[in-house]
Amino acid sequence: MVPALISSYMPKLPYSNLEWGVIQKKVGPFLWLMVISTILVLFVMDSSTRFSSSVAVSHSGGLKQGSARSLPANDTDATSPELSSGDIGEVCDISEGKWVEEPRGSIYTNTTCPTMPDIKNCGKYGKDQSYVYWRWQPKGCVIPRFEPETFLGMVRGKKMAVIGDSLARDHVESLLCLLSQAEIPSIAFRDEIDKCVTWNFPEHNFTLMVLWTEYIVETIPRIENGTVASYEIHLDKASRNWTEKLPGVDYAILSGGNWFFRAVHLYEGGKLIGCINCWEQNLTRYEVTYAIRRVVRTGLHFISTCKECEGLTTFLRTYTPSHFQNGSWFDGGYCNRTSPLDESQIRLTDVAWEIRNIQREEIARVRENHRGGKVKFGVLDITKAIMMRADGHPEGHWTKRAEGRANDCLHWCLPGPVDMWSDVLLATLMKNSLS
Ligand SMILES: *[C@@H]1O[C@H](CO)[C@@H](O)[C@H](O)[C@H]1NC(C)=O
Ligand SMILES: *[C@@H]1O[C@H](CO)[C@@H](O)[C@H](O)[C@H]1NC(C)=O
Ligand SMILES: *[C@@H]1O[C@H](CO)[C@@H](O)[C@H](O)[C@H]1NC(C)=O
Ligand SMILES: *[C@@H]1O[C@H](CO)[C@@H](O)[C@H](O)[C@H]1NC(C)=O
Ligand SMILES: *[C@@H]1O[C@H](CO)[C@@H](O)[C@H](O)[C@H]1NC(C)=O
Ligand SMILES: *[C@@H]1O[C@H](CO)[C@@H](O)[C@H](O)[C@H]1NC(C)=O
Ligand SMILES: *[C@@H]1O[C@H](CO)[C@@H](O)[C@H](O)[C@H]1NC(C)=O
C-alpha cells in the first residue's frame, strides 16, 4: 500500500521542497490557499471538530495503586471516553512509528538560525552531528518536511502561546529556528526574568509567545534554610501567570510534568493534603502521576470554561522524558548514545508512558465534557518518538559545562529531535484546517 499522506500540502511527495519553493513564488496567496484546501479535501475527508494527531489511545498502563493516593480518569467510572472514529488516525497515527535516516538533515543549522540560543547550540560545544540526520516516520504515512512558509500561512493573523516549563521553551526555540528560515522574528516583549517572551512575525502578522509555568497551577516556592526546599502547588487553581494572558490567543500548547519529581507540597481548597518527595514523616505521600492528572485537569477545566477564550484551540503536548543513564542531573548521569533507540529498547512500563496516557485521558475527558463548546482540544503526542531519542540531548555539550555543571540529558539540542514537535503541530493544524 502506498503510504497515505496526512497533510499533503506539497504537490509532489515526499520531499519536493525545491520545486515547491518555485511554485509558491508564482502562485498568489488566494490561489495558494485554494491549492492547499483542494489537496487537503482530497486526502482528508474529515468533518470532525476534534483535534488529534492520533486516535490510538492506550488505556493500559492505568494508575499505580500503592500506598500513595491516585485519582481515577473519571471519578465515577474509570473507563475513559474513546476518541472519535472518522479521525485522521484511521489513516495514520503520527504518535507511532520509527526514526529513519534523513541524509539532508534539518532545514536549518546553527549558522542559518538567527535565533539560535547558545545553550542549545550543541554543535558549537563539540557534539557529534550524526544525531541530526534522522526523521520521524509514522506508521503508514509521511509527515512532510517542515515548510515554514506553509506554517506561517496557516497561522496568519493568529496568536500562539506555548505554555509550560523549560521544555516548552525548547519547543519555542526550535519553532523560532524553523520559522526564521522564512521570516526573522522580532522580540515584542520580554519580562525581567526572560520567562515570558513574545515574538512578532510582522510580514505574516503572527505572534508567538512562551509563557512560563512549572506546574500549570498556582505555585509558591517554600524557602527553608535559605534555599527553595519545596514547591507548594495549589492543585485546584490554574496559575494566573498563563491564564491571564489567554484571552486573544488562538492556539495554546500546554505541557508539563518534569517538575513533579522534586519535593512538592500539594494543596487542595487551600489546605495541605500531602506531598511528593518531601521530608516530613506525618504527611500523606502522593504519586507524581496523581498530581499531574490533577493539574492537567485543572488547566483544561480553566480553558474549557474561560469566557474570554472563544475560538481558542488548545493542544496538550505530551510528556518528554529525560535519558540519564547511571545517575541523574545531580550525580553524574550521562546520555552518550549516538543513534536513536528502536521501539524494543524503550520501556512502556516507564512512568513517562504513564504520564503520557494520563495526559491523553484528560484531553479525551475534557472533550467529552465539553462537546460542542467554543474551545477545541487536541493533542501533540510526541512521547514515544522522543523516548527513542536518547542521542539528541546536549549532555556535556553546552555552555554551563565549563562551569562544572551537570550533563543535560533532559533538554534538546538545536537542530534536533525537538524539531519534530513542530512537524506534528503543522500536520495537525493542516489536518484540522477544514473542520
Ligand atoms: C464519568 O463517566 C460517566 C459515564 O461514563 C458519566 O456519566 C459521568 O458524567 C462522568 N463523570 C465525570 C465527572 O466526568
Ligand atoms: C556550528 O556547529 C558546528 C558543528 O556542526 C561547529 O563546528 C561550529 O562552530 C558551529 N558554529 C557556530 C556559529 O556556532
Ligand atoms: C533546615 O535546617 C534544619 C536545622 O539544621 C533541619 O532540621 C531541617 O531539616 C532543614 N530543612 C530542610 C528542608 O533541609
Ligand atoms: C508568576 O506570578 C507570580 C505572582 O504574581 C510572580 O511572583 C512570578 O514571578 C510569576 N512567574 C513568572 C515566571 O512570570
Ligand atoms: C506534621 O508535623 C509537624 C512537626 O514536625 C507539624 O508542625 C505539622 O503540623 C504536622 N502536620 C500534620 C498534617 O499533622
Ligand atoms: C551503569 O550502571 C549499571 C547498573 O545500573 C552497571 O551495570 C554499569 O556497569 C554502569 N556503567 C557504567 C559505565 O558505569
Ligand atoms: C558512554 O559513557 C560510558 C561511561 O563513560 C562508557 O562506558 C561508554 O562506552 C560510552 N558509550 C559511548 C557510545 O560512547
Side-chain angles (χ1 to χ4, degrees):
M1 200 188 105
V2 179
L5 305 170
I6 45 155
S7 59
S8 322
Y9 48 84
M10 296 200 211
K12 207 175 118 196
L13 281 148
Y15 304 131
S16 57
N17 252 13
L18 250 172
E19 303 94 287
W20 195 227
V22 174
I23 292 167
Q24 225 174 288
K25 289 193 180 71
K26 290 182 181 159
V27 182
F30 179 69
L31 196 58
W32 167 228
L33 228 120
M34 293 289 291
V35 172
I36 295 175
S37 351
T38 312
I39 298 169
L40 256 154
V41 171
L42 290 177
F43 284 99
V44 191
M45 305 289 242
D46 176 23
S47 59
S48 164
T49 54
R50 290 165 174 238
F51 287 71
S52 175
S53 62
S54 80
V55 294
V57 193
S58 165
H59 296 300
S60 60
L63 288 159
K64 267 202 200 97
Q65 301 293 341
S67 52
R69 302 278 182 83
S70 65
L71 184 71
N74 174 321
D75 301 330
T76 56
D77 174 352
T79 62
S80 307
E82 295 293 334
L83 298 184
S84 69
S85 58
D87 208 331
I88 189 169
E90 284 190 353
V91 181
C92 174
D93 178 356
I94 306 178
S95 70
E96 297 284 335
K98 62 182 180 197
W99 292 90
V100 297
E101 286 180 39
E102 168 51 72
R104 289 170 306 165
S106 170
I107 67 162
Y108 69 90
T109 68
N110 63 358
T111 52
T112 65
C113 170
T115 57
M116 174 66 76
D118 194 60
I119 203 167
K120 309 282 166 56
N121 187 353
C122 303
K124 178 177 164 188
Y125 294 97
K127 186 174 172 78
D128 180 87
Q129 292 296 291
S130 57
Y131 79 94
V132 173
Y133 298 93
W134 299 92
R135 72 176 168 82
W136 179 245
Q137 172 62 70
K139 260 179 205 152
C141 67
V142 174
I143 310 184
R145 201 168 160 81
F146 191 85
E147 177 51 69
E149 277 293 355
T150 305
F151 186 98
L152 288 168
M154 293 288 309
V155 296
R156 180 177 287 281
K158 307 282 191 202
K159 203 168 179 184
M160 180 178 282
V162 183
I163 303 161
D165 56 23
S166 56
L167 277 310
R169 183 61 175 257
D170 220 336
H171 185 191
V172 163
E173 284 165 346
S174 153
L175 186 55
L176 287 167
C177 278
L178 291 166
L179 296 180
S180 65
Q181 304 309 297
E183 181 182 353
I184 297 175
S186 57
I187 292 182
F189 171 79
R190 189 200 293 265
D191 69 3
E192 318 82 71
I193 47 175
D194 190 38
K195 295 289 193 195
C196 296
V197 189
T198 304
W199 292 266
N200 281 340
F201 294 78
E203 284 168 35
H204 294 84
N205 190 16
F206 173 56
T207 303
L208 180 61
M209 301 195 285
V210 65
L211 303 178
W212 175 269
T213 176
E214 299 96 335
Y215 292 99
I216 300 178
V217 294
E218 285 292 321
T219 300
I220 301 157
R222 182 187 286 192
I223 314 284
E224 266 185 49
N225 302 340
T227 57
V228 177
S230 147
Y231 292 87
E232 298 178 356
I233 70 169
H234 291 263
L235 296 170
D236 51 351
K237 292 196 187 88
S239 169
R240 284 186 300 270
N241 292 49
W242 63 271
T243 58
E244 273 175 357
K245 307 235 171 76
L246 219 46
V249 169
D250 300 283
Y251 297 105
I253 301 172
L254 189 64
S255 58
N258 295 90
W259 280 69
F260 290 79
F261 295 88
R262 305 181 183 216
V264 184
H265 285 86
L266 308 178
Y267 288 76
E268 183 91 56
K271 289 209 178 65
L272 180 64
I273 60 163
C275 63
I276 299 168
N277 294 327
C278 63
W279 52 91
E280 298 95 327
Q281 298 300 313
N282 59 354
L283 293 181
T284 310
R285 291 297 194 279
Y286 282 83
E287 297 276 5
V288 162
T289 47
Y290 171 89
I292 290 178
R293 186 188 293 282
R294 196 67 193 80
V295 303
V296 168
R297 193 173 287 186
T298 297
L300 295 179
H301 178 76
F302 176 87
I303 295 168
S304 66
T305 56
C306 165
K307 296 224 167 30
E308 300 151 293
C309 299
E310 201 163 304
L312 173 66
T313 296
T314 300
F315 297 106
L316 186 75
R317 195 261 298 148
T318 61
Y319 187 64
T320 173
S322 65
H323 288 96
F324 290 99
Q325 290 174 261
N326 287 67
S328 71
W329 183 281
F330 302 102
D331 55 7
Y334 57 85
C335 44
N336 60 355
R337 289 183 181 276
T338 51
S339 59
L341 305 169
D342 65 42
E343 193 157 354
S344 67
Q345 292 170 293
I346 61 169
R347 291 190 316 269
L348 297 185
T349 51
D350 214 88
V351 68
W353 192 244
E354 196 181 337
I355 293 170
R356 172 267 188 194
N357 288 339
I358 285 170
Q359 291 171 323
R360 292 210 59 146
E361 284 163 10
E362 290 305 313
I363 277 288
R365 184 179 187 274
V366 73
R367 280 174 173 165
E368 197 59 32
N369 293 349
H370 294 272
R371 278 181 181 286
K374 297 220 164 77
V375 181
K376 293 178 183 174
F377 293 94
V379 64
L380 306 175
D381 186 352
I382 51 78
T383 300
K384 191 180 273 188
I386 217 72
M387 281 173 97
M388 297 181 195
R389 293 309 304 272
D391 58 329
H393 299 287
E395 206 206 14
H397 306 287
W398 62 301
T399 44
K400 294 285 167 64
R401 183 63 169 174
E403 297 155 27
R405 292 279 292 271
N407 286 329
D408 185 349
C409 298
L410 172 63
H411 302 101
W412 300 99
C413 295
L414 298 182
V418 62
D419 297 330
M420 169 269 196
W421 302 359
S422 296
D423 294 339
V424 173
L425 173 60
L426 177 53
T428 308
L429 289 175
M430 294 298 297
K431 179 250 157 191
N432 288 291
S433 65
L434 300 175
S435 59

